[in-house]
Amino acid sequence: MNLYVRYFDHEALATSVDEAMAFLQTIEEIKLESNTASRISTFLNSSNLFPFRLKVSYSNYVLFLKTEAETLEQFKEEEAKRKEQKAERVSTMAERKKTILDALNEEKIGWWDAVLTFKRVITMPETGKCKYIDTRFHVRLRALSAMDAYNRLIKHLQGRSDVDPRSQFPSAKSDKFEYTYLGNETLAAETASSAEETINE
């Protein structure tokens, strides 16, 4: 395992603690302490994969990163790829969130089948203490969209006398909220006649 070492615009790829120390000694403004080599060695030989920052003045640090790269150029190429992959992951996650929000907000007026699992506060009779219980609430209702169904569902639960106001409700974007569009006019009569509202612990 090698070390990438950077202090402001100064940087190097060191293959040993001695090389890292030699590099630091070329920077005049850095005053090295007697235990510097030992601290670098401890980091290099540890299982820690996070960056190590060596304080060399009141507010300045030298950055150390472990790497398999053999040269500074190779390290920079690998870092560029890593940052590109990270950006792609962030972009993918952003697109996924956008897709979820688009689906929730897509206007589909009609009947919806909605299921919400939330943290319901229950008072235990034997102790008088309260605890959170995962509770499943299932309902069919008319709404303008999945988000509208969610908002109506939450408003309904918050207004129920048998639901403690300290209960916690998940986000509409979470997997704790499931919904299915049942249709509008064609299924309205059938759905209305078999509409169900159940709350199960």
Side-chain angles (χ1 to χ4, degrees), residues 1-3 13-17 19-20 44 69-70:
M1 187 71 71
N2 297 324
L3 287 171
L13 195 292
T15 59
S16 66
V17 174
E19 282 190 18
L44 181 60
E70 298 292 336

Side-chain angles (χ1 to χ4, degrees), residues 116 118 137 149-159 169-170:
L116 182 79
F118 66 101
F137 180 70
Y150 169 83
N151 290 333
R152 289 170 184 251
L153 190 158
I154 294 296
K155 184 177 180 180
H156 170 76
L157 287 173
Q158 290 175 335
F169 303 103

Side-chain angles (χ1 to χ4, degrees), residues 89-186:
R89 287 196 299 271
V90 171
S91 177
T92 300
M93 291 177 64
E95 284 298 320
R96 181 173 179 275
K97 288 182 180 179
K98 181 180 178 181
T99 301
I100 293 174
L101 285 173
D102 287 344
L104 285 168
N105 289 301
E106 182 181 2
E107 186 173 297
K108 285 186 178 180
I109 302 172
W111 288 92
W112 292 81
D113 187 278
V115 178
L116 182 79
T117 301
F118 66 101
K119 297 290 185 181
R120 186 182 183 190
V121 172
I122 300 292
T123 301
M124 309 307 294
E126 59 274 14
T127 63
K129 295 182 179 181
C130 297
K131 70 175 183 177
Y132 287 102
I133 301 291
D134 281 338
T135 302
R136 182 177 183 272
F137 180 70
H138 181 201
V139 68
R140 288 177 182 170
L141 72 165
R142 283 189 65 83
L144 305 177
S145 64
M147 181 61 80
D148 184 42
Y150 169 83
N151 290 333
R152 289 170 184 251
L153 190 158
I154 294 296
K155 184 177 180 180
H156 170 76
L157 287 173
Q158 290 175 335
R160 288 179 61 139
S161 59
D162 60 338
V163 176
D164 192 293
R166 293 171 295 177
S167 299
Q168 298 178 357
F169 303 103
S171 163
K173 295 180 290 184
S174 75
D175 59 4
K176 300 297 184 181
F177 176 56
E178 303 172 44
Y179 56 88
T180 303
Y181 179 64
L182 300 175
N184 193 5
E185 298 303 328
T186 56

Side-chain angles (χ1 to χ4, degrees), residues 5-8 21 24-25 27-33 35-36 39-40 52-64:
V5 191
R6 187 181 75 218
Y7 179 75
F8 292 99
M21 287 293 294
L24 295 177
Q25 289 167 352
I27 306 173
E28 295 182 2
E29 60 195 271
I30 292 181
K31 304 301 180 184
L32 300 177
E33 298 181 356
N35 66 344
T36 297
R39 294 180 64 188
I40 297 173
F52 168 59
R53 289 174 173 81
L54 176 70
K55 191 171 185 178
V56 292
S57 70
Y58 178 75
S59 59
N60 295 332
Y61 296 80
V62 176
L63 172 69
F64 293 84

Side-chain angles (χ1 to χ4, degrees), residues 1-5 39-54 62-67 75 79 82 86:
M1 187 71 71
N2 297 324
L3 287 171
Y4 169 74
V5 191
R39 294 180 64 188
I40 297 173
S41 178
T42 298
F43 168 68
L44 181 60
N45 296 313
S46 71
S47 59
N48 181 17
L49 297 178
F50 293 100
F52 168 59
R53 289 174 173 81
L54 176 70
V62 176
L63 172 69
F64 293 84
L65 291 173
K66 291 181 182 179
T67 177
F75 172 81
E79 278 295 287
R82 184 186 63 80
K86 181 179 179 181

